[in-house]
């Protein structure tokens, strides 16, 4: 269990995408998001689909784990699609009763919205599937480092993120222990109505908070004992390096963006 | 011999409010020489952890001076210099780790000191080898046993290249096997690398092969000397609410019953002593 949580969604592998610099992956995923918002016709959505298919093949991650993240937002996609269909006003009506008016343009618009959401999620999932949370944190720290100029505590934020990641499994373990201890004292967590269940959570949360604060106290001592903040010229053992992979991927993403922009001028639905 | 730690009439009180004070330590003087293995014994609340924190400049004495390697802990500007020389390992290994990957955690202290990258990599490898955990370098610490985690915590301190290693109840949460693993590493560090070690514990058997033993009770040092001298001071041991190792107890009882047996620290000594009767 510990492993699953620490590595988040990470799917171990050493594909082209796995071995890219996390900073490149973060930046290119931002580029990708912008690109998806530039799509207008179904042709461009087809292009995005093909692009994603290629990425999944290159990353060699199982389709199952990609679809898992789609499943998580499926409800949101359906809800927005339904709202769009019901309330879109433009276009010729296909069906009309009471206040509801379903139009042809409404159908097209909501289909595009749904595709856009799906593609955004799949694209960003590919980043978390191929990068460990630790690498992502390192990448963020490095990308944020220009903010040091305005006295933003980049390194402190990075340490906070890394400690948060580090303590998730420990706290999960703690929750399991507390639940068991409370069950042993006769607490019932899975009976009663919503309010009764919410109340039953209190005896878990209180000990959890107490222990979290105790841990934080000890951790603070341990950080001090290891000379945290001893020098502003802190070094790092792990160095991030842009390589030829990042160059290739950047070119590919820019080309893709170009295609989408060109497709804006191509007539079509 | 070079003195690495010197305490002169050190007292420290915890102030919980304006007029409420609890004694931490009272009028303590002691010296530790380079390369010594020192064990500090005491039950909970005897002041031994307070003493440890005074050595690391976590606490500054109310009275007296703590001098580490010639530096007084009152010199605020040299706090990090002291802390990098006095490495401290705590009780709960889980609460000392900052990174999810072992090698990152080991590197943390040395990174904080601004050690150059090639040297960092060398130190991480070396520290993991010393504690015999090199095979786990790239893994997460969560699946490890308590003893393994505590060895990682020691390695994390070693990467800062301290001259003094303080283990503050670092064996208290471990099972007997884990305790033995940790003690083996510490003994090896002391004998092979000449590391000055201060082991704080309430298990008297861990003091058997120390160079110097101190017993603390209610903030004061009530007995000190070689393990044999201290273990023979039954009154002090009893008053400090500590438990003598079984072999030692038996030898004392036999002696009281009129047998001619020296006081024994280990089972082996006891066996030999009894065979000689």
């Amino acid at each position: 269990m510990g492993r699953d949580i620490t590595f988040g969604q990470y799917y171990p592998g050493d594909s082209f995408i796995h071995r890219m610099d996390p900073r490149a992956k973060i930046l290119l995923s931002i580029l990708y998001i912008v690109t998806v918002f530039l799509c207008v016709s179904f042709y461009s959505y087809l292009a995005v689909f093909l692009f994603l298919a290629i990425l999944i093949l290159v990353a060699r991650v199982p389709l199952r784990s990609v679809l898992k993240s789609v499943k998580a937002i499926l409800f949101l996609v359906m809800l927005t699609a339904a709202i769009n269909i019901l309330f879109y006003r433009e276009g010729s009506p296909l069906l009309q009763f009471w206040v509801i008016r379903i139009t042809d343009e409404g159908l097209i618009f909501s289909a595009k919205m749904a595709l856009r959401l799906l593609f955004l999620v799949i694209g960003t999932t590919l980043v978390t599937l191929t990068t460990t949370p630790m690498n992502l944190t390192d990448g963020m720290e490095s990308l944020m480092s220009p903010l040091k100029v305005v006295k933003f505590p980049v390194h402190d934020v990075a340490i906070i993120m890394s400690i948060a990641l580090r303590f998730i499994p420990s706290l999960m373990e703690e929750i399991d222990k507390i639940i068991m201890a409370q069950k042993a004292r006769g607490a019932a967590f899975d009976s009663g109505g919503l309010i009764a269940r919410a109340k039953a959570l209190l005896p878990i949360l209180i000990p959890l908070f107490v222990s979290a604060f105790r841990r934080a106290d000890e951790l603070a001592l341990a950080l001090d004992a290891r000379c945290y903040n001893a020098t502003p010229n802190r070094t790092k053992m792990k160095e991030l390096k842009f390589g030829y992979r990042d160059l290739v991927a950047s070119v590919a993403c820019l080309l893709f963006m170009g295609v989408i922009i060109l497709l804006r001028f191509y007539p079509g639905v | 011999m070079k003195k690495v730690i010197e305490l002169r009439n050190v007292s420290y009180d915890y102030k919980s409010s304006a007029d409420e004070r609890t004694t931490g330590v009272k009028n303590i003087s002691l010296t530790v020489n380079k390369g010594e293995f020192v064990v500090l014994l005491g039950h909970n609340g005897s002041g031994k952890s307070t003493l440890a924190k005074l050595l690391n400049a976590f606490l500054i004495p109310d009275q007296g001076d703590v001098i580490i390697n010639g530096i007084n802990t009152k010199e605020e500007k040299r706090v990090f210099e002291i802390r990098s020389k006095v490495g401290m390992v705590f009780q709960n290994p889980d609460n000392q780790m900052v990174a999810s990957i072992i090698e990152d955690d080991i590197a943390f202290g040395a990174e904080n000191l601004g050690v150059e990258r090639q040297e960092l990599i060398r130190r991480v490898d070396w520290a993991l080898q010393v504690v015999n955990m090199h095979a786990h370098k790239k893994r997460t610490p969560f699946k490890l046993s308590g003893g393994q985690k505590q060895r990682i915590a020691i390695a994390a301190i070693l990467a800062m290249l301290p001259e003094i290693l303080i283990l503050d109840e670092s064996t208290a949460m471990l099972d007997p096997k884990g305790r033995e693993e940790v003690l083996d590493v510490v003994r090896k560090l002391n004998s092979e690398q000449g590391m000055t070690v201060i082991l704080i514990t309430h298990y008297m058997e861990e003091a058997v092969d120390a160079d110097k033993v101190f017993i603390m009770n209610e903030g004061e040092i009530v007995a000190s000397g070689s393990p044999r001298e201290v273990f023979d001071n039954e009154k002090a041991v009893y008053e400090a609410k500590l438990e003598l190792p079984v072999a030692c107890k038996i030898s004392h009882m036999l002696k009281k019953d009129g047998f001619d047996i020296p006081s024994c620290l280990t089972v082996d000594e006891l066996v030999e002593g009894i065979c000689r009767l």
Side-chain angles (χ1 to χ4, degrees):
Chain A
M1 191 185 78
R3 200 204 127 77
D4 283 349
I5 298 163
T6 338
F7 285 93
Q9 288 187 306
Y10 181 66
Y11 183 83
D14 62 345
S15 72
F16 184 90
I17 300 185
H18 279 89
R19 288 159 77 174
M20 274 171 63
D21 188 300
R23 291 170 297 179
K25 284 193 251 190
I26 295 171
L27 291 176
L28 291 179
S29 64
I30 295 171
L31 187 76
Y32 167 81
I33 292 170
V34 174
T35 311
V36 169
F37 276 99
L38 289 175
C39 289
V40 277
S41 66
F42 278 113
Y43 291 118
S44 43
Y45 284 102
L46 184 68
V48 178
F49 177 78
L50 289 175
F51 182 68
L52 280 179
I54 294 169
L55 283 186
I56 292 172
L57 284 178
V58 173
R60 275 183 274 156
V61 289
L63 201 59
R64 198 165 31 89
S65 36
V66 179
L67 291 180
K68 226 196 226 162
S69 61
V70 172
K71 220 172 96 190
I73 61 137
L74 210 53
F75 175 73
L76 186 73
V77 172
M78 304 238 266
L79 188 74
T80 46
I83 291 173
N84 276 323
I85 290 173
L86 295 178
F87 298 106
Y88 199 81
R89 291 286 151 204
E90 314 292 309
S92 48
L94 299 172
L95 193 75
Q96 195 164 17
F97 64 93
W98 191 43
V99 293
I100 291 160
R101 203 171 102 108
I102 295 176
T103 67
D104 54 350
E105 276 181 33
L107 279 182
I108 290 170
F109 179 78
S110 59
K112 282 179 180 168
M113 270 307 256
L115 282 176
R116 186 177 284 175
L117 269 175
L118 286 178
F119 288 157
L120 284 178
V121 169
I122 294 174
T124 43
T125 298
L126 274 173
V127 175
T128 51
L129 278 175
T130 58
T131 326
T132 59
M134 298 62 126
N135 268 335
L136 272 182
T137 317
D138 284 346
M140 305 258 246
E141 180 182 3
S142 166
L143 286 176
M144 287 195 304
S145 55
L147 292 176
K148 275 179 194 159
V149 179
V150 290
K151 297 267 159 73
F152 184 80
V154 175
H155 176 64
D156 289 325
V157 171
I159 281 288
I160 290 168
M161 287 199 282
S162 125
I163 286 175
L165 282 174
R166 145 79 191 81
F167 274 89
I168 291 169
S170 301
L171 290 179
M172 293 295 277
E173 222 177 80
E174 192 95 38
I175 292 175
D176 278 347
K177 264 190 217 156
I178 297 171
I179 288 181
M180 277 196 285
Q182 302 293 31
K183 271 188 180 162
R185 294 167 190 184
F189 294 113
D190 26 43
S191 60
L194 197 63
I195 295 174
R197 283 191 198 198
K199 266 191 183 161
L201 281 179
L202 267 185
I204 300 175
L205 290 180
I206 292 169
L208 184 67
F209 271 102
V210 172
S211 102
F213 280 113
R214 195 167 295 148
R215 276 175 193 278
D217 205 33
E218 277 180 43
L219 183 68
L221 273 187
L223 284 177
D224 268 342
R226 281 157 81 185
C227 298
Y228 183 60
N229 270 345
T231 154
N233 309 317
R234 195 175 186 278
T235 45
K236 270 196 92 77
M237 181 176 66
K238 285 195 178 150
E239 243 178 10
L240 298 174
K241 264 200 188 120
F242 285 114
Y244 81 95
R245 286 189 190 82
D246 307 296
L247 188 68
V248 172
S250 308
V251 171
C253 283
L254 286 171
L255 277 178
F256 167 65
M257 195 179 192
V259 168
I260 297 293
I261 291 172
L262 281 180
L263 281 173
R264 282 173 78 94
F265 302 107
Y266 190 81
V269 242
Chain B
M1 250 191 280
K2 193 184 156 206
K3 271 188 232 166
V4 284
I5 298 177
E6 191 177 3
L7 270 69
R8 296 188 205 129
N9 308 319
V10 171
S11 296
Y12 183 85
D13 288 341
Y14 288 98
K15 293 121 212 153
S16 40
S17 66
D19 40 43
E20 216 176 311
R21 290 165 153 252
T22 12
T23 309
V25 294
K26 248 191 310 207
N27 202 23
I28 288 189
S29 299
L30 61 86
T31 53
V32 176
N33 297 320
K34 192 167 171 51
E36 272 184 327
F37 193 118
V38 176
V39 174
L40 199 58
L41 288 163
H43 66 89
N44 291 340
S46 60
K48 58 193 196 302
S49 281
T50 309
L51 187 59
K53 288 190 177 111
L54 284 162
L55 297 178
N56 204 3
F58 276 151
L59 301 175
I60 305 298
D62 295 333
Q63 275 141 44
D65 291 294
V66 177
I67 290 150
I68 308 292
N69 248 346
I71 310 172
N72 193 320
T73 56
K74 282 174 182 160
E75 289 181 51
E76 249 172 76
K77 283 195 186 118
R78 301 177 82 176
V79 159
F80 287 118
E81 208 176 318
I82 293 172
R83 286 191 191 149
S84 67
K85 289 298 158 214
V86 186
M88 179 116 84
V89 180
F90 297 90
Q91 186 176 37
N92 188 341
D94 273 325
N95 297 348
Q96 299 173 54
M97 290 184 187
V98 291
S100 310
I101 301 285
I102 288 171
E103 61 170 349
D104 294 353
D105 189 63
I106 309 284
F108 180 75
E111 287 178 334
N112 285 336
L113 294 173
V115 174
E116 173 256 336
R117 189 161 169 270
Q118 287 306 315
E119 169 72 9
L120 264 176
I121 294 168
R122 251 198 314 276
R123 285 195 193 180
V124 169
D125 280 334
W126 169 78
L128 280 168
Q129 253 144 18
V130 170
V131 301
N132 212 358
M133 291 293 288
H134 204 266
H136 296 265
K137 191 177 167 188
K138 304 261 178 207
R139 303 195 195 147
T140 65
F142 309 117
K143 297 275 176 185
L144 300 178
S145 71
Q148 287 175 316
K149 283 184 192 168
Q150 202 59 287
R151 273 146 65 197
I152 297 291
I154 293 175
I157 293 298
L158 289 182
M160 303 198 307
L161 302 184
E163 284 174 25
I164 302 158
L165 183 66
I166 302 181
L167 296 113
D168 188 2
E169 294 260 23
S170 303
T171 54
M173 282 180 75
L174 306 178
D175 56 10
K177 188 172 163 281
R179 264 169 65 194
E180 212 35 63
E181 285 171 17
V182 169
L183 288 173
D184 276 346
V185 164
V186 173
R187 282 187 204 115
K188 200 176 86 182
L189 269 169
N190 176 252
S191 59
E192 288 175 17
Q193 318 266 353
M195 177 84 71
T196 311
V197 174
I198 299 185
L199 178 71
I200 298 175
T201 179
H202 55 262
Y203 296 115
M204 287 197 83
E205 43 293 24
E206 292 178 9
V208 167
D209 31 46
D211 294 319
K212 253 188 213 171
V213 179
F214 295 99
I215 294 185
M216 289 194 70
N217 192 22
E218 290 174 11
E220 286 177 293
I221 291 181
V222 290
S224 63
S226 71
R228 215 171 291 273
E229 285 164 12
V230 170
F231 282 38
D232 280 350
N233 190 344
E234 271 182 282
K235 188 169 159 275
V237 171
Y238 177 76
E239 277 173 4
K241 301 183 195 75
L242 291 167
E243 184 99 359
L244 282 171
V246 177
C248 192
K249 261 193 206 165
I250 293 176
S251 69
H252 285 171
M253 281 183 208
L254 286 171
K255 204 172 183 182
K256 256 179 223 154
D257 288 348
F259 291 95
D260 176 30
I261 189 167
S263 96
C264 307
L265 297 181
T266 63
V267 175
D268 287 345
E269 282 180 24
L270 181 67
V271 170
E272 205 174 308
I274 290 175
C275 289
R276 284 226 185 105
L277 287 178

